[in-house]
Amino acid sequence: MLLLTFLLIQSKIQWISTADDGSNFPKDMNLHVTFPPILERHESMALGHLRPVGWQRRAESPILEDSLNIEPARFYHLFVQGNRSVAFRGMVRALDVLWTDSYLSKSYGHLNITIAKRKQRLVDTLVLLPFKTFLEQYRHDDLYMNTIIPDEMKSETPLPSLINCGTFRNRLLEPVLWISAGDTASLLFAHSKNTLHCVLDGRKDFIIFDVSNQYPNDFDLVRQSNGDLYSRIDVDLVNAYKYKSLHNLPWYWATLREGDCLFIPAFIFHQVRAHGRTIALSIDMSPIDTREDFNGNDCEKNPPVYVPLNKGNFLWRYEHGTKHLSKQTITNDDARHYLLLLLGTNDQLYKDIFREFFHQVTYELVKKDTTLPTADDIWAQLSSDENNQEYISRSRLKSVSSNVLQLLVDILQKSVRIHEYDKSEL
């Protein structure tokens, strides 16, 4: 009898420790967290060893703040050209409709969205899931939502007027919606795109490192196919003996709450922590060739306080659980514009960046049309006049003829209208 009782207890303990749903352990929803951290020094141990990122060195100062009424030209010259982060308090107003879990489930629960494990190390950690299922699990399970916001939700989501005009308007790539619960930490990473990150509800803490393009050798970096970089450093338990550069690398901080936004230039390393239930919107923009001046002919002196996200001219949209180009009719000028967006601030477009774009565009199409030209086929045509086949120069992209672009245009057109075609028409 004692043996049977022991086995039953052991079985129960094993079940609890291996359960995936975490339903017995609701996440800590506390928003009152000390940040920047108060450092603890131990004579026998390196500062911040086995502590989170940020404990290895005292923060320099808060990130610079500017007026929420900043003019787009000033923003461009000071922060985009200057490659500097800046925070704006109260830039986006409160949502017209309170996005409670019950409201989101009732209104949008049928939509498929993208979720990720707490530390998104590789693309294959992303999973498609009904929004309703995510809302039932995220307060207990170690996952969060990051998805291009579905079109159905855009009318209820704010778009900062600052980036909805002039040079910025035609460089908007995608609006990504983030929802998380508890203490959720990002990796230490750097986007290949400029980003305006706005908190709609909850709280996020940001660590911005004073480094771009010249990264410490011990950052242990991985470059992803889209150009983004991330570090293999464990952001929760830093090995301060292995990653010694964190003791010498200056960092700045910002805490964002409802309505606050933070601009982060491309390739600036940063790390983010969300606390409690947090909803945020991250708007990615293609980096700008900062040798060019700002074009603000369509920027209003007194822009409207509220602009819905569906008024934005984004490159990507989310449909049927997959990324699609937003435009439904693709012209030669559109195709050229897309290629120039891929350049960012560079003077050469490299083949691997084009391949990633082509894969994203044709992801569904290649499953139905086995005769579709490959990315390498299109690349060979575009780069036929180049001496180096690994990249295409900016001048070449600007001057490439419509005849050369036409095959790419035809593929893009089929891809954006794939759900309108019968298989026999492809």
Side-chain angles (χ1 to χ4, degrees), residues 92 147-177 193-198 281-286 306-319 323-330 334 337-338 341 357 361 416:
V92 293
T147 189
I148 296 179
I149 187 168
D151 288 351
E152 293 90 335
M153 302 180 69
K154 287 181 178 177
S155 62
E156 292 185 353
T157 314
L159 171 62
S161 297
L162 175 65
I163 57 173
N164 194 38
C165 73
T167 299
F168 304 122
R169 180 174 174 79
N170 292 322
R171 304 191 76 83
L172 300 179
L173 297 177
E174 56 193 24
V176 179
L177 186 66
K193 304 167 280 289
N194 292 336
T195 301
L196 186 66
H197 196 100
C198 299
L281 178 70
S282 180
I283 298 176
D284 291 336
M285 300 171 282
S286 175
Y306 179 82
V307 178
L309 200 63
N310 56 11
K311 299 297 183 183
N313 183 27
F314 290 95
L315 172 64
W316 297 105
R317 63 193 291 261
Y318 196 72
E319 184 181 23
K323 284 175 72 167
H324 291 269
L325 292 173
S326 294
K327 292 200 70 171
Q328 294 298 292
T329 301
I330 309 296
D334 292 326
H337 177 63
Y338 298 155
L341 284 181
F357 169 75
V361 171
V416 298

Side-chain angles (χ1 to χ4, degrees), residues 7 16 32 40 43 45 47 54 84 123 130 135 154 162 168 199 211 236 257 263 292 299 322 345 350 359:
L7 291 174
I16 290 173
H32 304 290
E40 300 174 355
E43 292 183 4
M45 189 178 298
L47 182 62
R84 301 166 68 195
V123 176
L135 292 169
K154 287 181 178 177
L162 175 65
F168 304 122
V199 172
V211 59
D236 293 321
R257 300 183 186 274
F263 172 68
E292 300 178 3
C299 293
T322 308
T345 60
Y350 287 90
H359 169 73

Side-chain angles (χ1 to χ4, degrees), residues 29 98-109 131-132 134-140 179-181 201 277-279:
M29 305 302 281
L98 194 61
W99 276 5
T100 62
D101 287 355
S102 58
Y103 174 80
L104 291 173
S105 182
K106 181 178 179 180
S107 302
Y108 307 113
F131 199 1
K132 181 179 180 180
F134 168 79
L135 292 169
E136 292 169 349
Q137 297 178 358
Y138 82 111
R139 289 176 180 264
H140 300 87
I179 301 180
S180 63
D201 192 19
R277 178 182 183 268
T278 299
I279 302 178

Side-chain angles (χ1 to χ4, degrees), residues 206-223:
F206 287 77
I207 289 175
I208 306 290
F209 283 97
D210 187 14
V211 59
S212 62
N213 297 322
Q214 297 295 326
Y215 307 121
N217 293 330
D218 66 1
F219 258 32
D220 203 0
L221 297 180
V222 175
R223 182 179 294 275

Side-chain angles (χ1 to χ4, degrees), residues 357-413:
F357 169 75
F358 191 83
H359 169 73
Q360 290 177 334
V361 171
T362 61
Y363 176 75
E364 288 185 292
L365 186 59
V366 293
K367 297 177 182 179
K368 296 187 176 183
D369 185 356
T370 57
T371 65
L372 193 73
T374 66
D376 287 347
D377 294 333
I378 304 299
W379 182 264
Q381 191 171 22
L382 292 172
S383 63
S384 58
D385 294 340
E386 293 284 339
N387 294 325
N388 190 320
Q389 297 300 305
E390 291 304 308
Y391 65 80
I392 303 174
S393 65
R394 182 183 293 271
S395 58
R396 163 67 177 170
L397 291 178
K398 286 183 175 180
S399 62
V400 63
S401 69
S402 296
N403 290 336
V404 172
L405 283 173
Q406 192 58 51
L407 181 57
L408 176 60
V409 171
D410 292 342
I411 293 173
L412 298 182
Q413 187 65 75

Side-chain angles (χ1 to χ4, degrees), residues 76-77 79-83 194 287-294 344-345 394:
Y76 176 80
H77 292 304
F79 302 108
V80 179
Q81 280 188 326
N83 202 43
N194 292 336
I288 300 168
D289 182 357
T290 52
R291 293 168 297 189
E292 300 178 3
D293 201 5
F294 180 74
T345 60
R394 182 183 293 271

